[in-house]
Amino acid sequence: MVQRDIALINAKYVASAVREDQYPEEKLPEIAFIGRSNVGKSSLINSLCNQRGLAKVSGAPGKTRTINYFFGELRQREGDKSIRRPLYLVDLPGYGFAKTGGKNRDLWSRFVGDYIQKSPRLTLLCLLIDLRHPGLPIDREAYAWLCEVGVSLQIVGTKSDKLNQSEKQRNMAAVDKFFPAAYPVIASSSLKQNGRAKLLERLYDAIAEPVVDTEIGV
């Protein structure tokens, strides 16, 4: 299959939220990213947007404690035209919150769950799985709950650049087994442009119909 010319452009931070009344008011489709703490959500968003410092990356698990919204446009070039689809990328706090405990942990889990269940514009949820450790109980529990909720899922394997080719193939097969979804797992690392391109195509196809149709160069 020929890869389409798709890029995520004009990305910028918009807002952070812990309650429904703090969600952005503009009615755009939302694609959210969730996974175990330190699985690489912020790094993946930065890679997709081609902006190194857009989403803050921390070596401390559990650093992200709010739902963070980033505006962007998925642009596909077709012949002499480009089609743009605006959206929000939503960076959700990781589960397995190393720096939060007790009541704070319960509250944190609750507002993330509220977003996933109640956001009317959540179009696709990308569940990130560290390919070095497929099938961890905490990931399988999250997957089971997300399936129960009924959200549309895309499984994304991260850290693939830290594996050799045979390890990657074996662990990708394990992820497909443990986390079956309508679409196969995509291994997306900032160092692997083919995986990044596949994920951009998946995001583009997941969101609403194009709302802007412009000549190339606009």
Side-chain angles (χ1 to χ4, degrees):
M1 181 182 296
V2 177
Q3 283 187 347
R4 291 172 283 167
D5 184 2
I6 298 175
L8 210 163
I9 62 173
N10 298 328
K12 62 181 180 180
Y13 167 79
V14 174
S16 296
V18 294
R19 301 190 311 270
E20 188 174 356
D21 61 357
Q22 296 173 327
Y23 299 168
E25 294 183 359
E26 190 170 5
K27 295 181 179 180
L28 295 177
E30 297 169 6
I31 293 179
F33 299 80
I34 195 169
R36 188 165 50 88
S37 295
N38 212 30
V39 74
K41 297 185 303 298
S42 298
S43 295
L44 177 58
I45 290 172
N46 290 340
S47 175
L48 291 172
C49 299
N50 200 27
Q51 291 191 35
R52 182 173 296 178
L54 180 65
K56 302 302 182 185
V57 178
S58 172
K63 188 71 173 180
T64 299
R65 301 190 180 188
T66 55
I67 299 170
N68 297 321
Y69 289 81
F70 302 90
F71 170 84
E73 293 179 313
L74 281 165
R75 182 196 64 200
Q76 175 172 274
R77 296 179 186 265
E78 295 180 346
D80 61 348
K81 292 185 177 181
S82 67
I83 299 173
R84 299 187 185 189
R85 297 183 176 184
L87 77 161
Y88 287 128
L89 302 179
V90 184
D91 187 7
L92 299 175
Y95 47 79
F97 315 117
K99 298 299 183 183
T100 303
K103 294 181 180 179
N104 287 336
R105 176 169 177 164
D106 293 340
L107 174 62
W108 197 354
S109 302
R110 187 162 57 250
F111 78 73
V112 173
D114 285 346
Y115 166 78
I116 293 171
Q117 295 179 88
K118 297 178 181 179
S119 178
R121 294 179 289 277
L122 178 58
T123 304
L124 180 70
L125 186 79
C126 293
L127 174 59
L128 276 59
I129 304 295
D130 187 334
L131 282 176
R132 299 171 301 175
H133 310 292
L136 290 176
I138 193 171
D139 289 327
R140 297 175 72 174
E141 290 171 13
Y143 168 80
W145 182 81
L146 293 169
C147 289
E148 183 178 327
V149 171
V151 65
S152 179
L153 277 179
Q154 171 64 55
I155 309 300
V156 179
T158 64
K159 316 285 187 177
S160 62
D161 53 296
K162 302 182 184 299
L163 301 173
N164 62 39
Q165 191 59 31
S166 62
E167 290 172 332
K168 176 183 172 181
Q169 290 178 351
R170 181 178 66 248
N171 291 4
M172 286 275 285
V175 171
D176 268 329
K177 175 183 177 181
F178 288 127
F179 309 99
Y183 293 85
V185 59
I186 296 175
S188 183
S189 165
S190 59
L191 302 178
K192 306 294 183 182
Q193 295 303 314
N194 184 56
R196 179 175 175 272
K198 286 182 179 179
L199 184 54
L200 284 171
E201 288 187 7
R202 177 74 176 101
L203 304 190
Y204 183 92
D205 290 340
I207 64 175
E209 291 299 314
V211 296
V212 179
D213 192 350
T214 61
E215 297 296 327
I216 290 273
V218 174

